[in-house]
């Protein structure tokens, strides 16, 4: 990797091992000595938090799988048995269920951080796209996990979401139906569907873990970006990852855990929907179907569009468009802090996503439909119009000469320049 | 004469034959084995075996509706009143968003008249798959007193699609009329679906 390791084995055994399989050297170079910009703020702590979240989901998930039964007759009851009979089952399940929400809180903050600070710009385009891929895999995994409970919301969410693919019938008659029956393994959502969702829900988190490794690899080639959006140039611009950022990340993780624990112990069902405590009934659709909160903005976009095929295309497009952000943004400056015009559009975009989230939870009628349409239009306009156009015409503010200057002021920076 | 093997000594064409045949077979087999991996996901024999259902309708009265299961899907059977049939007949085809009958017992392009939607020769009987053609929810309107929508047929609570007394889409995001399954009357009050 880009940074040369200064690792010195401290024991004979260490040296012996290092010669044969240099894992200690790699860890030392990448996670202890790794030069990290000195100006990272708390928005940079969510990467570490996300790794933690993935680990929590995998550990709690594997133990839940030891008690869970993936069959339509037993799934719901086995989840109830986990809650009532299995030792600590309530704790494991609530941690897994709340954990999924916490995972999404963290990933959304992490991604908005990237959008604000231009983290997707050269040379970090591949890093960004791997991140979008992780988001896509997380969405798929969480959707499949939610289905496993086999409550009313699980069942109808699976029905509605898998039926999205039936819209292909409008392009090639029969194609959508064939595809949907292939996904179901039957003529309706049923036992075969539940089984395969479970198999994939078990698999995908490990795929995510693999992509996370690539994501971190791609990060460690150019190194971290930073709030000033300028490259590390002086020696005094960076600090070793340990102890400076192990401490900062650790502190942020503890604060994050307070919120996490608050939900698990005091409001474990706050983020869920009560209808999922009603066993799945294939003959009765609940009066109002809503997805989990983290899918609401996308759901609002789907419903904003009266045409089925275009609605589905917009839903997938809303995520796919993120892959192209590195090329849509034409600005030479990375950090929005120095972009007086783009800044407004950015915060409007954040507000738009929150509004869409609210609208996704409401009945699709009256004013809500109109607002969803406006929200969906701005969502896409932000990427397709604002990013290229503002980038070309905006006059950015003066950038600091170095990261050292951004943190310590001009005088200290001048000293550092002189000694360099 | 040299003892080492040079390019010229090697039987290059023989090696090519091995490479191309072996590579070709491996490639074809590799591609062919993808099919079992994909096809295993399709509905299996037991799912296909459940493909017919018989229903006795002798207890039903005019205006009543029942729901039965066929292939894991709800089938709506409504014994329509004369008013409901008349309402279905009154609508000009030009007012329908979906102008074809979607009736598996008729040609694909049969127009969506009330007659083409109802049972053959028994217009009060409507037998259809009770699944909204938008994203697969089950519309309300079967039980007495449940929401039948603006057109007196069915109303889908998920995204607001409205169906008329012949199960045709009239308003909302659903693109098609609710589908009519293959079925036939096997007696005066007995039907076989599938
Ligand atoms: C990316 C990581 C993961 C995410 C985002 C995720 C998400 C979810 C969600 C949202 C649920 C429904 C929770 C509920 O409402 O009860 C769930 C359930 C479940 N998950 Fe995961 N999961 C992940 C990893 C795993 C792993 C690695 C396993 C291991 C097999 C697993 C096994 C299960 C099981 C057995 C259930 C059903 C029991 C239950 O409802 O708690 N999950 N998952
Ligand atoms: S599923 Fe019926 S309106 Fe969307």
């Amino acid at each position: 990797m880009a940074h040369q390791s200064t690792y010195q084995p401290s024991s004979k055994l260490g040296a012996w091992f290092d010669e044969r399989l240099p894992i200690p050297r790699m860890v030392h170079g990448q996670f202890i000595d790794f030069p990290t910009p000195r100006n990272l703020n708390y928005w940079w702590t969510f990467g570490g938090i996300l790794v933690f979240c993935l680990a929590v989901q995998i550990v709690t998930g594997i133990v839940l799988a030891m008690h869970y039964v993936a069959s339509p007759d037993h799934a719901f009851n086995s989840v109830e048995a986990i809650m009532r009979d299995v030792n600590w089952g309530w704790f494991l399940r609530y941690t897994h269920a709340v954990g999924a929400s916490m995972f999404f809180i963290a990933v959304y903050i992490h991604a908005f951080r990237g959008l604000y600070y231009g983290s997707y710009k050269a040379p970090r385009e591949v890093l960004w796209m791997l991140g979008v891929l992780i988001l896509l895999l997380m969405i798929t995994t969480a959707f499949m996990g939610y289905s496993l409970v086999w409550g009313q919301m699980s069942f109808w969410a699976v029905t509605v979401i898998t039926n999205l693919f039936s819209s292909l019938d409008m392009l090639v008659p029969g194609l959508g139906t064939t595809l949907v029956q292939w996904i179901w393994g039957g003529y309706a959502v049923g036992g075969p569907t539940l089984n395969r969702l479970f198999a994939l829900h078990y698999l995908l988190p490990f795929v995510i873990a693999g992509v996370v490794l690539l994501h971190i690899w791609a990060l460690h080639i150019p190194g971290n970006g930073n709030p000033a959006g300028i490259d590390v140039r002086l020696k005094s611009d960076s600090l070793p990852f340990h102890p400076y950022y192990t401490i900062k990340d650790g502190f942020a993780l503890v604060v994050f855990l307070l919120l996490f624990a608050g939900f698990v112990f005091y409001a474990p069902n706050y983020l869920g929907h009560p209808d999922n405590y009603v066993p799945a009934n294939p003959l009765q659709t609940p009066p109002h179907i809503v997805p989990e909160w983290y899918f609401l903005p996308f759901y609002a976009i789907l419903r904003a569009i009266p045409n089925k095929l275009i609605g589905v295309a917009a839903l997938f497009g809303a995520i796919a468009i993120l892959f192209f952000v590195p090329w849509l943004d034409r600005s030479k400056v990375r950090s929005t802090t120095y972009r007086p015009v783009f800044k407004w559009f950015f915060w409007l975009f954040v507000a738009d996503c929150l509004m869409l989230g609210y609208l996704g939870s409401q009945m699709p009628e009256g004013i809500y439909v109109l607002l969803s349409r406006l929200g969906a239009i701005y969502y896409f306009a932000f990427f397709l119009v604002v990013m290229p156009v503002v980038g070309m015409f905006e006059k950015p503010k003066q950038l600091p000469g170095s990261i050292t200057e951004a943190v310590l002021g001009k005088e200290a920076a001048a000293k550092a320049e002189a000694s360099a | 004469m040299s003892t080492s093997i040079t390019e010229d000594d090697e039987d290059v064409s023989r090696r090519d034959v091995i490479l191309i045949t072996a590579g070709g077979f491996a490639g074809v087999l590799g591609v062919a084995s993808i099919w079992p991996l994909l096809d295993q996901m399709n509905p299996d024999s037991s799912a296909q075996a459940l493909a017919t259902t018989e229903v006795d309708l002798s207890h039903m009265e005019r205006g009543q509706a029942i729901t039965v299961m066929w292939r894991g899907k709800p089938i709506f059977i409504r014994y329509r009143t004369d008013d409901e049939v008349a309402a279905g007949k009154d609508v000009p085809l030009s007012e329908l968003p979906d102008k074809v009958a979607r009736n598996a017992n008729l040609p694909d392009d049969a127009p969506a008249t009330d007659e083409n939607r109802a049972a053959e020769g028994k217009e009060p009987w409507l037998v259809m798959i009770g699944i909204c053609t938008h994203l697969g929810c089950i519309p309300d309107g079967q039980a007495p007193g449940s929401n039948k929508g603006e057109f007196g047929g069915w109303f889908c609570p998920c995204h607001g699609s409205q169906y008329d007394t012949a199960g045709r889409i009239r308003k909302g995001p659903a693109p098609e009329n609710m589908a009519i399954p293959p079925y036939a009357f096997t007696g005066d009050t007995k039907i076989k679906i599938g």
Side-chain angles (χ1 to χ4, degrees), chain A residues 207-220:
Chain A
V207 176
I208 294 178
V211 183
V212 167
L213 285 181
L214 295 181
H215 189 70
I216 295 174
W217 187 358
L219 167 71
H220 280 210

Side-chain angles (χ1 to χ4, degrees), chain A residues 160, chain B residues 132-137 156-161 163 173-174:
Chain A
V160 167
Chain B
C132 179
T133 60
H134 181 227
L135 294 175
C137 291
C156 183
C158 290
H159 317 96
S161 289
Y163 297 87

Side-chain angles (χ1 to χ4, degrees), chain B residues 117-139:
Chain B
R117 299 274 308 162
E120 198 188 340
K122 296 175 186 277
E123 214 167 341
W125 289 101
L126 183 67
V127 179
M128 66 181 182
I129 301 177
I131 292 182
C132 179
T133 60
H134 181 227
L135 294 175
C137 291
I138 299 184

Side-chain angles (χ1 to χ4, degrees), chain A residues 175 198 413:
Chain A
L175 175 67
F198 182 48

